Amino acid sequence: MISPAGLKKFLISHISFLILFLMNVKIEESWRQRLQGEFDKPYFAALTEAVRQEYRQTACYPPGPLIFNAFNLCPFDRVKVVILGQDPYHEPGQAHGLSFSVQDGVSFPPSLQNIFKEIHDDVGNPIPTSGDLTRWARQGVLLLNATLTVRAHMANSHSRLGWQQFTDAAIRALASEREHLVYLLWGGYARSKAYMIDRQKNLVLESVHPSPLSANRGGWFGNHQFSQCNAYLQANGESPINW
């Protein structure tokens, strides 16, 4: 006989998954296993209901099936690098569930332009014609936004819905089970998450944000984080990232 507490937990978990199912949202199995405890918590049921209402009432990004794209393209055991963003791009056609990435055919946002310029200056790779960073994700780069959804034209509009508790749990899962990862923390918000990471077991590279407002003040260009990242990966028996 199931206890009242057990029944409540069961209902919370299944209501959350029902809402996600109706939005055609799925998360990769290895991540689902690590984050199951979050799905079972009351905040996650409230979060999924709030997100569903937002998507029903107004334009939101990314498309529902791509909300967990960062996890789906980069399974837990394949993560080598974590790049943490704040929330998705909020203009039409841009966001597809990967931090700093835009879909093919979309002009590069200024931050992405500066990322590509620094890569070119650091490791010599030519500026790509596509801003779709799926190619990074498939190599083991977790392109994670702290908030996974956003209302159109309104940056940070979903930042108080509860996503950060969920994405913090993902960072903690990596911190507790994995080591020799590279964390690229750009800007004050991303750097505020550094306390969850053991610097004795991982490489944490911090800098200003690549947005023009921050980058042009100094500290972004010439930081050589991409070559440092690859050197650390190779020193620990991992293949480098083809940036």
Side-chain angles (χ1 to χ4, degrees):
M1 185 96 179
I2 189 169
S3 68
L7 178 61
K8 181 179 179 181
K9 182 176 180 181
F10 175 86
L11 290 174
I12 288 171
S13 177
H14 282 70
I15 288 170
S16 300
F17 273 103
L18 176 60
I19 292 170
L20 293 174
F21 176 78
L22 292 172
M23 295 177 65
N24 195 26
V25 176
K26 299 179 179 66
I27 189 167
E28 191 270 336
E29 179 62 19
S30 66
W31 279 108
R32 188 195 65 77
Q33 293 174 7
R34 267 77 179 191
L35 298 172
Q36 182 62 53
E38 302 305 304
F39 298 136
D40 293 340
K41 294 177 181 178
Y43 90 86
F44 194 81
L47 166 63
T48 51
E49 174 58 22
V51 170
R52 185 182 72 87
Q53 290 292 346
E54 282 284 295
Y55 273 72
R56 284 183 61 189
Q57 295 171 1
T58 187
C60 294
Y61 307 116
L66 298 179
I67 289 174
F68 290 146
N69 203 24
F71 300 106
N72 294 336
L73 289 173
C74 191
F76 185 87
D77 292 327
R78 293 184 58 193
V79 175
K80 296 192 288 188
V81 181
V82 179
I83 298 180
L84 184 65
Q86 192 160 351
D87 73 331
Y89 294 122
H90 53 268
E91 296 302 327
Q94 293 181 314
H96 62 129
L98 304 176
S99 61
F100 296 101
S101 179
V102 293
Q103 300 185 66
D104 274 336
V106 177
S107 298
F108 299 168
S111 293
L112 189 56
Q113 292 181 36
N114 286 339
I115 290 170
F116 287 153
K117 185 178 187 302
E118 174 60 18
I119 289 171
H120 171 71
D121 293 346
D122 185 15
V123 301
N125 289 4
I127 303 296
T129 58
S130 170
D132 183 347
L133 303 182
T134 297
R135 60 188 181 274
W136 293 4
R138 294 194 186 282
Q139 296 178 73
V141 182
L142 181 66
L143 295 158
L144 181 65
N145 280 314
T147 297
L148 299 185
T149 58
V150 68
R151 186 182 291 190
H153 318 301
M154 295 179 63
N156 294 318
S157 50
H158 287 181
S159 62
R160 296 185 179 182
L161 295 186
W163 278 123
Q164 294 177 41
Q165 185 171 344
F166 179 77
T167 53
D168 279 359
I171 296 171
R172 288 192 176 97
L174 286 169
S176 66
E177 292 189 44
R178 300 288 313 281
E179 58 182 28
H180 303 314
L181 303 184
V182 181
Y183 293 83
L184 301 180
L185 305 181
W186 302 333
Y189 182 81
R191 294 167 78 177
S192 73
K193 306 292 184 177
Y195 75 94
M196 293 185 279
I197 306 162
D198 187 342
R199 294 174 184 263
Q200 300 301 314
K201 297 179 179 179
N202 304 278
L203 178 63
V204 179
L205 297 174
E206 302 181 40
S207 77
V208 301
H209 196 274
S211 66
L213 182 63
S214 298
N216 292 335
R217 291 175 178 171
W220 171 256
F221 296 112
N223 63 31
H224 301 293
Q225 288 196 358
F226 300 97
S227 57
Q228 289 182 67
C229 171
N230 279 349
Y232 180 86
L233 291 175
Q234 290 179 292
N236 286 280
E238 293 284 357
S239 58
I241 304 298
N242 180 10
W243 302 108

